[in-house]
Amino acid sequence: LLARKIGEVSAQGGVIAVLPDTREVARVATHLQSLGIRYVALDSDLPRSEQFRNFLLVRTGEISVVIGTRSSVFAPVHNLRSILIYNEGSESLYEMRAPGWNARTVAMERSQIEGCDLIFVGYSPSTEVAKLIDDGAVKFKGVRARIKVESMEQIHGEFLPSRAITPIRGAIKEGPVLFLVPLKGYAQAIRCSHCKTISRCECGGAHEQRGLGLAINCNHCGKRVSQWRCRWCNSESPAVASKGITRHQQELGALFPGHEIVISTSDHPVSDIDKKALVIATPQMAPLVAGG
């Protein structure tokens, strides 16, 4: 859909499409190629020689469609008519280094200076854009769609509510099932199983466990704990307080034996999947599935 929109607006003049990460850039590039639209990518993952070559193609006006990550918002596109920003609330669009800027803010300033259209594309607006919509500065155009959603609450703090297990078993017979988890690693925090106190090192850092069977250590100073003991109640029974993706893999493997588990993180991204499996991914790392 985004590639088709880029092709539609490119008929009126130059276009810049800003995407959160290189995976999205690659996906849009594939669709633009299939549509026969000439474009260049400005992406930090490209070799410097290719980046400079693409920059010159834009600077000389030979190509007027640019896709890329946050810095592509500065591309010197001739006859710029439209700037598109996908998922404008993403943290990846923030440049944290001084002087610090956000691709959304730069795009808004540039659209006013150059008199071009600014289009935000995504599933939901950020709070900043929602305020602009309320103020009438941004026009909201929704798309009608129906999604079946079920909410199943945990009753006793179990990993998965028992009601969710049967639908998952049914779904995996049709195709891959996706689980989104917030953290990498195994256990990002440790607590006492008796008094529930979060365990911390003498230096103030939080205790963590990097893998099943590995020792507990401090995530700040790295000090290893040979024999863990709660500093509040002296219990010797630690528990996982913040589960990482590998802990989820362990527990899902126990719940659904015999099914393949695929992990996708920023360190080990999986771009596509075409088999029936349980997929565990951190935010923005979910692989594409042919047919949805």
Side-chain angles (χ1 to χ4, degrees):
L1 292 175
L2 183 58
R4 287 201 294 268
K5 185 64 177 180
I6 292 172
E8 177 186 325
V9 297
S10 65
Q12 305 168 9
V15 180
I16 298 175
V18 184
L19 301 116
D21 55 58
T22 56
R23 296 171 76 244
E24 296 290 351
V25 172
R27 290 172 180 175
V28 173
T30 300
H31 290 296
L32 290 176
Q33 290 172 4
S34 65
L35 294 173
I37 299 171
R38 292 191 70 204
Y39 73 94
V40 294
L42 295 178
D43 188 340
S44 58
D45 275 7
L46 295 174
R48 296 191 66 175
S49 58
E50 188 174 348
Q51 286 190 54
F52 187 59
R53 172 184 170 275
N54 290 349
F55 174 82
L56 290 178
L57 289 173
V58 177
R59 187 69 182 87
T60 57
E62 186 172 339
I63 295 181
S64 59
V65 175
V66 174
I67 62 172
T69 47
R70 59 176 177 257
S71 59
S72 63
V73 74
F74 296 105
V77 176
H78 287 220
N79 187 30
L80 182 62
R81 299 306 309 150
S82 302
I83 301 176
L84 292 87
I85 299 186
Y86 176 67
N87 193 14
E88 47 81 25
S90 171
E91 293 180 359
S92 300
L93 297 181
Y94 287 81
E95 174 54 75
M96 304 304 293
R97 292 169 293 186
W101 51 272
N102 183 292
R104 177 185 59 235
T105 307
V106 174
M108 292 174 64
E109 293 290 339
R110 188 168 181 181
S111 68
Q112 293 179 4
I113 294 170
E114 300 193 34
C116 63
D117 296 331
L118 175 58
I119 304 170
F120 297 116
V121 182
Y123 296 102
S124 62
S126 64
T127 53
E128 292 86 351
V129 171
K131 178 65 166 57
L132 294 173
I133 292 172
D134 288 342
D135 294 342
V138 173
K139 186 176 181 180
F140 178 76
K141 291 185 178 180
V143 176
R144 290 183 177 274
R146 287 184 177 273
I147 301 176
K148 183 181 178 181
V149 178
E150 292 184 64
S151 176
M152 301 177 185
E153 296 182 2
Q154 295 173 317
I155 300 175
H156 303 293
E158 62 273 22
F159 175 67
L160 275 179
S162 57
R163 289 177 53 207
I165 294 176
T166 300
I168 292 171
R169 285 177 175 160
I172 201 172
K173 295 178 181 178
E174 304 296 328
V177 177
L178 175 65
F179 294 84
L180 290 175
V181 300
L183 300 169
K184 295 189 294 183
Y186 183 76
Q188 304 295 328
I190 302 295
R191 64 173 173 81
C192 175
S193 60
H194 178 68
C195 68
K196 315 304 181 187
T197 300
I198 296 296
S199 178
R200 291 195 172 274
C201 177
E202 295 174 354
C203 74
H207 279 142
E208 65 177 3
Q209 190 176 9
R210 296 178 180 175
L212 178 63
L214 297 181
I216 294 172
N217 63 280
C218 174
N219 65 3
H220 181 64
C221 70
K223 182 179 179 180
R224 181 177 176 178
V225 180
S226 57
Q227 186 174 357
W228 186 90
R229 181 185 295 271
C230 177
R231 299 176 67 182
W232 179 259
C233 71
N234 289 323
S235 169
E236 297 182 357
S237 177
V240 173
S242 181
K243 298 175 182 178
I245 195 168
T246 53
R247 179 59 186 260
H248 283 82
Q249 178 188 20
Q250 175 192 344
E251 298 199 9
L252 283 174
L255 283 172
F256 304 99
H259 293 288
E260 182 179 357
I261 298 179
V262 177
I263 287 182
S264 180
T265 65
S266 57
D267 297 333
H268 302 283
V270 177
S271 57
D272 304 278
I273 186 168
D274 58 357
K275 54 188 173 182
K276 299 174 183 178
L278 301 171
V279 181
I280 314 176
T282 48
Q284 300 184 7
M285 288 293 112
L288 286 179
V289 180

